[in-house]
Coordinates of all heavy atoms in Angstrom, one line a residue:
M25 N -6.5 -2.7 -7.5 CA -5.7 -3.5 -8.5 C -5.4 -4.9 -8.0 O -5.5 -5.2 -6.8 CB -4.3 -2.8 -8.8 CG -4.4 -1.4 -9.3 SD -5.3 -1.3 -10.9 CE -3.9 -1.7 -12.0
G26 N -5.2 -5.8 -8.9 CA -5.1 -7.2 -8.5 C -3.8 -7.5 -7.7 O -2.8 -6.8 -7.9
A27 N -3.8 -8.6 -6.9 CA -2.7 -8.9 -6.2 C -1.8 -9.9 -7.0 O -0.7 -10.3 -6.6 CB -3.1 -9.6 -4.9
K28 N -2.3 -10.4 -8.1 CA -1.6 -11.4 -8.9 C -0.6 -10.8 -9.8 O -1.0 -10.4 -10.9 CB -2.6 -12.2 -9.6 CG -3.4 -13.1 -8.7 CD -4.3 -13.9 -9.6 CE -4.2 -15.4 -9.3 NZ -4.9 -16.2 -10.3
K29 N 0.6 -10.7 -9.4 CA 1.6 -10.1 -10.3 C 1.9 -10.9 -11.5 O 2.4 -10.4 -12.5 CB 2.9 -9.7 -9.5 CG 3.6 -10.9 -8.9 CD 4.8 -10.5 -8.3 CE 5.5 -11.6 -7.5 NZ 5.5 -11.4 -6.1
K30 N 1.5 -12.1 -11.5 CA 1.7 -13.0 -12.7 C 0.9 -12.5 -13.9 O 1.3 -12.8 -15.0 CB 1.2 -14.4 -12.4 CG 2.2 -15.2 -11.5 CD 3.3 -15.8 -12.3 CE 4.2 -16.6 -11.4 NZ 5.4 -17.1 -12.0
S31 N -0.1 -11.8 -13.7 CA -0.9 -11.3 -14.8 C -0.6 -9.9 -15.2 O -1.3 -9.3 -15.9 CB -2.4 -11.5 -14.6 OG -2.7 -10.9 -13.4
E32 N 0.5 -9.4 -14.6 CA 1.0 -8.1 -15.0 C 1.2 -8.0 -16.5 O 1.6 -9.0 -17.2 CB 2.3 -7.8 -14.3 CG 3.5 -7.5 -15.2 CD 4.9 -7.5 -14.4 OE1 5.2 -8.4 -13.6 OE2 5.6 -6.5 -14.6
I33 N 0.8 -6.9 -17.1 CA 1.0 -6.8 -18.6 C 2.4 -6.5 -18.9 O 2.9 -5.5 -18.5 CB 0.0 -5.7 -19.2 CG1 -1.4 -6.1 -18.9 CG2 0.3 -5.5 -20.7 CD1 -1.9 -7.4 -19.5
I34 N 3.0 -7.3 -19.7 CA 4.4 -7.1 -20.1 C 4.4 -6.3 -21.4 O 5.2 -5.3 -21.5 CB 5.1 -8.4 -20.4 CG1 5.1 -9.3 -19.1 CG2 6.6 -8.1 -20.8 CD1 6.0 -8.8 -18.0
C35 N 3.6 -6.7 -22.4 CA 3.6 -6.0 -23.7 C 2.3 -5.2 -23.8 O 1.3 -5.7 -23.9 CB 3.7 -7.0 -24.8 SG 3.7 -6.3 -26.4
R36 N 2.5 -3.9 -23.6 CA 1.3 -3.0 -23.6 C 0.7 -2.9 -25.0 O -0.5 -2.6 -25.1 CB 1.7 -1.7 -23.0 CG 2.0 -1.8 -21.5 CD 2.2 -0.5 -20.8 NE 2.6 -0.7 -19.5 CZ 1.8 -1.1 -18.5 NH1 0.5 -1.3 -18.7 NH2 2.2 -1.4 -17.3
C37 N 1.5 -2.9 -26.0 CA 1.0 -2.8 -27.3 C 0.0 -3.8 -27.6 O -1.1 -3.5 -28.2 CB 2.1 -2.9 -28.4 SG 3.3 -1.6 -28.4
N38 N 0.3 -5.1 -27.3 CA -0.5 -6.2 -27.7 C -1.3 -6.8 -26.5 O -1.9 -7.8 -26.7 CB 0.3 -7.2 -28.5 CG 0.8 -6.6 -29.8 OD1 0.1 -5.8 -30.4 ND2 1.9 -7.1 -30.3
N39 N -1.1 -6.1 -25.4 CA -1.8 -6.5 -24.2 C -1.5 -8.0 -23.8 O -2.4 -8.8 -23.6 CB -3.3 -6.4 -24.4 CG -4.1 -6.2 -23.1 OD1 -3.6 -5.7 -22.2 ND2 -5.3 -6.8 -23.1
I40 N -0.2 -8.3 -23.8 CA 0.2 -9.7 -23.5 C 0.7 -9.7 -22.0 O 1.5 -9.0 -21.6 CB 1.3 -10.1 -24.4 CG1 1.0 -9.8 -25.9 CG2 1.7 -11.6 -24.1 CD1 -0.2 -10.6 -26.4
S41 N 0.1 -10.6 -21.3 CA 0.4 -10.7 -19.8 C 1.6 -11.6 -19.6 O 2.0 -12.4 -20.5 CB -0.8 -11.3 -19.1 OG -0.9 -12.7 -19.4
R42 N 2.2 -11.4 -18.5 CA 3.3 -12.2 -18.1 C 3.0 -13.6 -18.1 O 3.8 -14.5 -18.4 CB 3.8 -11.7 -16.7 CG 4.9 -12.6 -16.1 CD 5.6 -11.8 -15.0 NE 6.4 -12.8 -14.3 CZ 7.3 -12.4 -13.4 NH1 7.4 -11.1 -13.1 NH2 8.0 -13.3 -12.7
E43 N 1.8 -13.9 -17.6 CA 1.3 -15.3 -17.6 C 1.4 -16.0 -19.0 O 1.9 -17.1 -19.1 CB -0.1 -15.3 -17.1 CG -0.6 -16.7 -16.6 CD -2.0 -16.5 -16.0 OE1 -2.6 -15.5 -16.1 OE2 -2.4 -17.5 -15.4
T44 N 0.9 -15.2 -20.0 CA 0.9 -15.8 -21.3 C 2.4 -16.0 -21.8 O 2.7 -17.0 -22.4 CB 0.3 -14.8 -22.3 OG1 -1.1 -14.6 -21.8 CG2 0.3 -15.2 -23.7
I45 N 3.2 -15.1 -21.5 CA 4.6 -15.2 -21.9 C 5.3 -16.4 -21.2 O 6.0 -17.2 -21.8 CB 5.4 -13.9 -21.7 CG1 4.8 -12.8 -22.6 CG2 6.9 -14.1 -21.9 CD1 5.1 -11.4 -22.2
E46 N 5.1 -16.5 -19.9 CA 5.7 -17.6 -19.1 C 5.2 -18.9 -19.7 O 6.0 -19.9 -19.8 CB 5.4 -17.5 -17.6 CG 6.1 -16.3 -17.0 CD 5.9 -16.2 -15.5 OE1 5.2 -17.1 -14.9 OE2 6.5 -15.3 -14.9
E47 N 3.9 -19.0 -20.0 CA 3.4 -20.2 -20.5 C 4.1 -20.6 -21.9 O 4.4 -21.8 -22.1 CB 1.9 -20.1 -20.7 CG 1.2 -21.4 -20.9 CD -0.3 -21.2 -21.2 OE1 -0.9 -20.4 -20.4 OE2 -0.8 -21.9 -22.1
A48 N 4.3 -19.6 -22.7 CA 4.9 -19.9 -24.0 C 6.3 -20.4 -23.8 O 6.8 -21.3 -24.4 CB 4.9 -18.6 -24.8
I49 N 7.0 -19.7 -22.8 CA 8.4 -20.2 -22.6 C 8.4 -21.6 -22.1 O 9.2 -22.4 -22.5 CB 9.1 -19.2 -21.6 CG1 9.2 -17.8 -22.2 CG2 10.5 -19.7 -21.1 CD1 9.8 -16.7 -21.3
R50 N 7.5 -21.9 -21.1 CA 7.4 -23.2 -20.6 C 7.1 -24.2 -21.7 O 7.5 -25.4 -21.6 CB 6.3 -23.3 -19.5 CG 6.9 -23.3 -18.1 CD 5.8 -23.7 -17.1 NE 5.6 -22.6 -16.2 CZ 4.6 -21.8 -16.1 NH1 3.6 -21.9 -17.0 NH2 4.6 -20.8 -15.3
N51 N 6.4 -23.8 -22.7 CA 6.0 -24.7 -23.8 C 7.0 -24.8 -24.9 O 6.8 -25.3 -25.9 CB 4.6 -24.3 -24.3 CG 3.5 -24.6 -23.4 OD1 3.6 -25.6 -22.6 ND2 2.4 -23.9 -23.4
G52 N 8.2 -24.1 -24.6 CA 9.3 -24.3 -25.6 C 9.7 -23.1 -26.4 O 10.6 -23.3 -27.2
A53 N 9.2 -22.0 -26.1 CA 9.7 -20.8 -26.7 C 10.9 -20.3 -26.0 O 10.9 -19.6 -25.0 CB 8.6 -19.7 -26.7
H54 N 12.1 -20.7 -26.6 CA 13.3 -20.5 -25.9 C 14.2 -19.5 -26.5 O 15.4 -19.3 -26.2 CB 14.1 -21.8 -25.7 CG 13.4 -22.7 -24.6 ND1 13.8 -24.0 -24.4 CD2 12.4 -22.4 -23.8 CE1 13.0 -24.5 -23.4 NE2 12.2 -23.6 -23.0
T55 N 13.7 -18.7 -27.5 CA 14.4 -17.6 -28.0 C 13.4 -16.4 -28.1 O 12.2 -16.6 -28.0 CB 14.9 -17.8 -29.5 OG1 13.8 -18.0 -30.3 CG2 15.8 -19.1 -29.5
L56 N 13.9 -15.2 -28.2 CA 13.0 -14.1 -28.3 C 12.1 -14.2 -29.5 O 10.9 -13.9 -29.5 CB 13.8 -12.8 -28.4 CG 14.3 -12.2 -27.0 CD1 15.1 -11.0 -27.2 CD2 13.2 -12.0 -26.0
N57 N 12.7 -14.7 -30.6 CA 11.8 -14.9 -31.8 C 10.7 -15.8 -31.6 O 9.6 -15.6 -32.1 CB 12.7 -15.3 -33.0 CG 13.4 -14.2 -33.7 OD1 12.8 -13.1 -33.8 ND2 14.6 -14.4 -34.2
D58 N 10.9 -16.9 -30.9 CA 9.9 -17.8 -30.5 C 8.8 -17.1 -29.8 O 7.6 -17.3 -30.0 CB 10.4 -19.0 -29.7 CG 11.2 -20.0 -30.4 OD1 11.2 -19.9 -31.7 OD2 12.0 -20.7 -29.8
I59 N 9.2 -16.3 -28.8 CA 8.2 -15.5 -28.0 C 7.4 -14.6 -28.9 O 6.2 -14.5 -28.8 CB 8.9 -14.8 -26.9 CG1 9.5 -15.8 -25.9 CG2 7.9 -13.9 -26.1 CD1 10.3 -15.2 -24.8
F60 N 8.1 -13.9 -29.8 CA 7.4 -13.0 -30.7 C 6.3 -13.8 -31.5 O 5.2 -13.4 -31.6 CB 8.3 -12.3 -31.7 CG 9.5 -11.5 -31.1 CD1 10.6 -11.3 -31.8 CD2 9.4 -11.1 -29.8 CE1 11.6 -10.5 -31.3 CE2 10.4 -10.4 -29.2 CZ 11.6 -10.1 -30.0
D61 N 6.8 -14.9 -32.0 CA 5.9 -15.7 -32.9 C 4.7 -16.3 -32.1 O 3.6 -16.3 -32.6 CB 6.6 -16.9 -33.5 CG 7.6 -16.4 -34.6 OD1 7.5 -15.2 -35.0 OD2 8.4 -17.2 -35.0
T62 N 5.0 -16.8 -30.9 CA 4.0 -17.5 -30.2 C 2.9 -16.6 -29.5 O 1.8 -16.9 -29.5 CB 4.6 -18.4 -29.1 OG1 5.8 -19.0 -29.6 CG2 3.7 -19.4 -28.6
T63 N 3.4 -15.4 -29.0 CA 2.5 -14.6 -28.2 C 2.2 -13.3 -28.8 O 1.3 -12.6 -28.4 CB 3.2 -14.3 -26.8 OG1 4.3 -13.4 -27.0 CG2 3.7 -15.6 -26.1
S64 N 3.0 -12.9 -29.8 CA 2.9 -11.5 -30.4 C 3.4 -10.4 -29.5 O 3.3 -9.3 -29.8 CB 1.5 -11.2 -31.0 OG 0.6 -10.8 -30.0
A65 N 3.9 -10.8 -28.3 CA 4.6 -9.8 -27.5 C 5.9 -9.4 -28.2 O 6.5 -10.2 -28.8 CB 4.9 -10.4 -26.1
G66 N 6.2 -8.1 -28.0 CA 7.6 -7.7 -28.5 C 7.6 -7.2 -30.0 O 8.6 -6.8 -30.5
V67 N 6.4 -7.3 -30.6 CA 6.4 -6.9 -32.0 C 5.3 -5.9 -32.3 O 4.8 -5.8 -33.4 CB 6.2 -8.2 -33.0 CG1 7.5 -9.0 -32.9 CG2 5.0 -9.0 -32.6
G68 N 5.0 -5.1 -31.3 CA 3.9 -4.1 -31.4 C 4.5 -2.8 -32.0 O 5.7 -2.7 -32.3
P69 N 3.6 -1.9 -32.2 CA 3.9 -0.6 -32.8 C 5.0 0.2 -32.1 O 5.6 1.1 -32.7 CB 2.6 0.2 -32.9 CG 1.6 -0.6 -32.1 CD 2.2 -2.0 -31.9
C70 N 5.2 0.0 -30.8 CA 6.2 0.8 -30.1 C 7.6 0.4 -30.5 O 8.6 1.0 -30.2 CB 6.1 0.6 -28.6 SG 6.8 -0.9 -27.9
G71 N 7.7 -0.7 -31.2 CA 9.0 -1.2 -31.7 C 9.7 -2.1 -30.7 O 10.9 -2.5 -30.9
G72 N 9.0 -2.6 -29.7 CA 9.5 -3.6 -28.9 C 10.1 -3.1 -27.6 O 11.1 -3.7 -27.1
S73 N 9.5 -2.1 -27.0 CA 10.1 -1.7 -25.7 C 10.0 -2.7 -24.6 O 10.7 -2.7 -23.6 CB 9.4 -0.4 -25.2 OG 8.1 -0.6 -24.9
C74 N 9.0 -3.6 -24.7 CA 8.9 -4.7 -23.7 C 10.0 -5.7 -23.8 O 10.1 -6.6 -23.0 CB 7.5 -5.3 -23.8 SG 7.2 -6.1 -25.4
R75 N 10.8 -5.7 -24.9 CA 11.8 -6.7 -25.0 C 12.8 -6.6 -23.9 O 13.5 -7.6 -23.6 CB 12.6 -6.5 -26.3 CG 11.7 -6.9 -27.5 CD 12.4 -6.7 -28.8 NE 11.4 -6.7 -29.9 CZ 11.8 -6.7 -31.2 NH1 13.0 -6.7 -31.5 NH2 10.8 -6.7 -32.1
R76 N 12.9 -5.5 -23.3 CA 13.9 -5.4 -22.2 C 13.4 -6.1 -21.0 O 14.1 -6.4 -20.0 CB 14.3 -4.0 -21.9 CG 13.1 -3.1 -21.5 CD 13.6 -1.7 -21.2 NE 12.6 -0.9 -20.5 CZ 11.9 0.1 -21.1 NH1 12.2 0.4 -22.4 NH2 11.0 0.7 -20.5
K77 N 12.1 -6.5 -21.0 CA 11.6 -7.4 -19.9 C 11.6 -8.8 -20.4 O 11.8 -9.8 -19.7 CB 10.2 -7.0 -19.5 CG 10.2 -5.8 -18.7 CD 8.8 -5.5 -18.2 CE 8.7 -4.3 -17.3 NZ 7.3 -4.0 -17.0
L78 N 11.2 -9.0 -21.7 CA 11.2 -10.4 -22.2 C 12.5 -11.1 -22.2 O 12.6 -12.2 -21.8 CB 10.7 -10.3 -23.7 CG 9.3 -9.8 -24.0 CD1 9.1 -9.8 -25.5 CD2 8.3 -10.7 -23.3
G79 N 13.6 -10.3 -22.5 CA 14.9 -10.9 -22.5 C 15.3 -11.4 -21.2 O 15.7 -12.6 -21.1
P80 N 15.3 -10.6 -20.2 CA 15.7 -11.1 -18.8 C 14.8 -12.2 -18.3 O 15.3 -13.1 -17.7 CB 15.6 -9.9 -17.9 CG 15.8 -8.7 -18.9 CD 15.2 -9.2 -20.2
L81 N 13.5 -12.1 -18.6 CA 12.6 -13.2 -18.2 C 13.0 -14.5 -18.8 O 13.1 -15.5 -18.1 CB 11.2 -12.8 -18.6 CG 10.1 -13.7 -18.0 CD1 10.0 -13.6 -16.5 CD2 8.7 -13.2 -18.6
L82 N 13.3 -14.5 -20.1 CA 13.7 -15.7 -20.8 C 15.0 -16.2 -20.3 O 15.2 -17.4 -20.0 CB 13.8 -15.4 -22.3 CG 14.3 -16.5 -23.2 CD1 13.4 -17.8 -23.1 CD2 14.4 -16.1 -24.6
E83 N 16.0 -15.3 -20.2 CA 17.3 -15.7 -19.7 C 17.3 -16.3 -18.3 O 17.9 -17.3 -18.1 CB 18.2 -14.4 -19.7 CG 19.6 -14.7 -19.8 CD 20.4 -13.4 -20.1 OE1 20.1 -12.3 -19.5 OE2 21.3 -13.4 -20.9
Y84 N 16.5 -15.7 -17.5 CA 16.4 -16.2 -16.1 C 15.8 -17.7 -16.1 O 16.3 -18.6 -15.5 CB 15.4 -15.3 -15.3 CG 15.4 -15.6 -13.8 CD1 16.2 -14.9 -12.9 CD2 14.6 -16.7 -13.3 CE1 16.2 -15.2 -11.6 CE2 14.6 -16.9 -12.0 CZ 15.4 -16.2 -11.1 OH 15.3 -16.5 -9.8
Y85 N 14.8 -17.9 -17.0 CA 14.2 -19.2 -17.0 C 15.2 -20.2 -17.6 O 15.3 -21.3 -17.1 CB 12.9 -19.2 -17.9 CG 12.3 -20.5 -18.0 CD1 11.4 -20.9 -17.0 CD2 12.5 -21.3 -19.1 CE1 10.8 -22.2 -17.1 CE2 11.9 -22.6 -19.2 CZ 11.1 -23.0 -18.1 OH 10.5 -24.3 -18.2
L86 N 15.9 -19.8 -18.6 CA 16.8 -20.8 -19.2 C 17.9 -21.2 -18.2 O 18.4 -22.3 -18.2 CB 17.4 -20.2 -20.5 CG 16.4 -20.0 -21.6 CD1 17.1 -19.4 -22.8 CD2 15.7 -21.3 -22.0
K87 N 18.3 -20.2 -17.4 CA 19.3 -20.5 -16.4 C 18.8 -21.3 -15.2 O 19.5 -22.2 -14.7 CB 19.9 -19.2 -15.8 CG 21.2 -18.8 -16.5 CD 21.9 -17.6 -15.8 CE 22.5 -16.7 -16.8 NZ 22.2 -15.3 -16.5
N88 N 17.6 -20.9 -14.7 CA 17.1 -21.4 -13.5 C 16.0 -22.4 -13.5 O 15.6 -23.0 -12.6 CB 16.7 -20.2 -12.6 CG 17.9 -19.3 -12.4 OD1 18.9 -19.6 -11.8 ND2 17.7 -18.1 -13.0
G89 N 15.3 -22.5 -14.7 CA 14.2 -23.4 -14.9 C 13.0 -22.9 -14.2 O 12.0 -23.6 -14.0
T90 N 13.0 -21.6 -13.8 CA 11.8 -21.0 -13.1 C 11.8 -19.5 -13.4 O 12.7 -19.0 -14.1 CB 11.9 -21.3 -11.6 OG1 10.7 -20.7 -11.0 CG2 13.1 -20.6 -11.0
F91 N 10.8 -18.8 -13.0 CA 10.7 -17.4 -13.3 C 10.9 -16.6 -12.0 O 10.6 -17.0 -10.9 CB 9.3 -17.1 -13.8 CG 9.1 -17.8 -15.2 CD1 8.3 -18.9 -15.3 CD2 9.6 -17.3 -16.3 CE1 8.1 -19.6 -16.5 CE2 9.5 -17.9 -17.5 CZ 8.7 -19.0 -17.6
P92 N 11.5 -15.4 -12.3 CA 11.9 -14.5 -11.1 C 10.6 -13.9 -10.6 O 9.6 -13.7 -11.3 CB 12.8 -13.5 -11.7 CG 12.4 -13.4 -13.2 CD 11.9 -14.8 -13.5
D93 N 10.6 -13.5 -9.3 CA 9.5 -12.7 -8.7 C 9.4 -11.4 -9.4 O 8.3 -11.0 -9.7 CB 9.8 -12.5 -7.2 CG 9.4 -13.7 -6.4 OD1 8.7 -14.6 -6.9 OD2 9.7 -13.7 -5.2
K94 N 10.5 -10.8 -9.6 CA 10.5 -9.5 -10.2 C 11.5 -9.5 -11.4 O 12.6 -10.0 -11.3 CB 11.0 -8.5 -9.1 CG 10.9 -7.1 -9.5 CD 11.1 -6.2 -8.3 CE 11.0 -4.7 -8.7 NZ 10.9 -4.3 -10.1
I95 N 11.0 -8.9 -12.5 CA 11.8 -8.9 -13.7 C 12.8 -7.7 -13.6 O 12.4 -6.6 -13.3 CB 10.9 -8.7 -14.9 CG1 9.9 -9.9 -15.0 CG2 11.8 -8.6 -16.2 CD1 8.9 -9.7 -16.1
T96 N 14.0 -8.1 -13.8 CA 15.0 -7.0 -13.8 C 15.2 -6.6 -15.3 O 15.6 -7.4 -16.1 CB 16.4 -7.5 -13.3 OG1 16.2 -8.1 -12.1 CG2 17.4 -6.4 -13.2
E97 N 14.8 -5.4 -15.6 CA 14.8 -4.9 -17.0 C 16.2 -4.8 -17.5 O 17.1 -4.4 -16.8 CB 14.1 -3.6 -17.1 CG 12.6 -3.7 -16.9 CD 11.9 -2.4 -17.2 OE1 12.3 -1.7 -18.2 OE2 11.0 -2.1 -16.5
D98 N 16.4 -5.2 -18.7 CA 17.7 -5.1 -19.4 C 17.7 -3.8 -20.2 O 17.0 -3.7 -21.2 CB 17.9 -6.3 -20.3 CG 19.1 -6.2 -21.1 OD1 19.9 -5.3 -20.9 OD2 19.4 -7.1 -22.0
L99 N 18.4 -2.9 -19.7 CA 18.3 -1.6 -20.4 C 19.4 -1.4 -21.4 O 19.5 -0.4 -22.1 CB 18.5 -0.5 -19.3 CG 17.3 -0.5 -18.3 CD1 17.5 0.6 -17.3 CD2 16.0 -0.3 -18.9
T100 N 20.2 -2.5 -21.6 CA 21.2 -2.4 -22.6 C 20.7 -2.7 -24.0 O 21.3 -2.4 -25.0 CB 22.3 -3.4 -22.4 OG1 21.8 -4.7 -22.5 CG2 22.9 -3.3 -21.0
G101 N 19.5 -3.4 -24.0 CA 18.9 -3.7 -25.3 C 19.5 -4.9 -26.0 O 19.2 -5.2 -27.1
K102 N 20.4 -5.6 -25.3 CA 21.1 -6.7 -25.9 C 20.3 -8.0 -25.9 O 20.4 -8.7 -26.9 CB 22.5 -6.9 -25.3 CG 23.6 -6.0 -25.7 CD 24.9 -6.3 -25.1 CE 24.9 -6.3 -23.6 NZ 26.2 -6.1 -23.0
G103 N 19.6 -8.2 -24.8 CA 18.9 -9.4 -24.7 C 19.7 -10.6 -24.5 O 20.9 -10.5 -24.5
P104 N 19.1 -11.8 -24.4 CA 19.8 -13.0 -24.2 C 20.5 -13.5 -25.5 O 20.2 -13.0 -26.6 CB 18.7 -14.0 -23.8 CG 17.5 -13.5 -24.4 CD 17.6 -11.9 -24.5
G105 N 21.3 -14.4 -25.3 CA 22.0 -15.0 -26.5 C 23.5 -15.0 -26.3 O 24.0 -14.4 -25.3
P106 N 24.2 -15.6 -27.2 CA 25.6 -15.7 -27.0 C 26.3 -14.3 -27.0 O 25.9 -13.4 -27.8 CB 26.1 -16.4 -28.3 CG 24.9 -16.7 -29.1 CD 23.7 -16.1 -28.4
K107 N 27.1 -14.1 -26.0 CA 27.8 -12.8 -26.0 C 29.0 -12.9 -26.9 O 29.7 -13.9 -26.9 CB 28.3 -12.6 -24.5 CG 27.2 -12.6 -23.5 CD 26.5 -11.2 -23.4 CE 25.5 -11.2 -22.2 NZ 24.2 -11.8 -22.4
K108 N 29.2 -11.9 -27.6 CA 30.2 -11.9 -28.7 C 31.6 -11.5 -28.2 O 32.6 -11.8 -28.9 CB 29.8 -11.1 -29.9 CG 28.5 -11.6 -30.6 CD 28.8 -11.9 -32.0 CE 27.6 -12.6 -32.7 NZ 26.4 -11.8 -32.8
D109 N 31.7 -10.8 -27.1 CA 33.0 -10.3 -26.8 C 33.6 -11.0 -25.6 O 33.0 -11.6 -24.8 CB 32.9 -8.8 -26.4 CG 31.8 -8.4 -25.5 OD1 31.0 -9.4 -25.1 OD2 31.6 -7.2 -25.2
Ligands
FES24 S1 5.1 -3.0 -25.5 FE1 5.6 -4.9 -26.5 S2 5.9 -4.3 -28.5 FE2 5.3 -2.5 -27.6

């Protein structure tokens, strides 16, 4: 298997790599909806199980301006965005 974790597949439904998603975010996809539209990750037949990776990846980038080595999955399903409570 490859040593390049950047090309790890995030969205298995649509075969979207982390590299593709990071590029979309860098190019201005700053909400989950933007990522869905730009890459088609997160909108596959599984119903979006990869969103728990997309969310934290996006959130990390918006906070830090860079991407984490390892994605911490968000198992709450809340994703990024204004917290209501
Ligand atoms: S794995 Fe991304 S939508 Fe199914």
Side-chain angles (χ1 to χ4, degrees):
M25 301 299 275
K28 291 182 124 189
K29 60 178 171 249
K30 285 276 183 187
S31 53
E32 122 188 50
I33 297 300
I34 302 287
C35 181
R36 293 187 185 285
C37 290
N38 294 333
N39 203 36
I40 310 299
S41 69
R42 173 162 168 169
E43 195 174 13
T44 300
I45 292 160
E46 291 187 356
E47 194 182 316
I49 294 174
R50 258 192 239 108
N51 287 333
H54 288 170
T55 66
L56 281 180
N57 276 326
D58 288 343
I59 295 175
F60 302 161
D61 288 348
T62 318
T63 69
S64 81
V67 291
C70 80
S73 68
C74 59
R75 292 179 192 189
R76 60 178 190 253
K77 287 185 179 176
L78 295 176
L81 190 62
L82 175 60
E83 203 167 42
Y84 189 100
Y85 180 81
L86 293 178
K87 260 189 220 137
N88 303 293
T90 182
F91 294 102
D93 276 350
K94 186 165 177 0
I95 300 172
T96 307
E97 290 187 39
D98 176 4
L99 300 177
T100 66
K102 280 185 300 203
K107 304 274 190 281
K108 295 236 170 68
D109 44 3

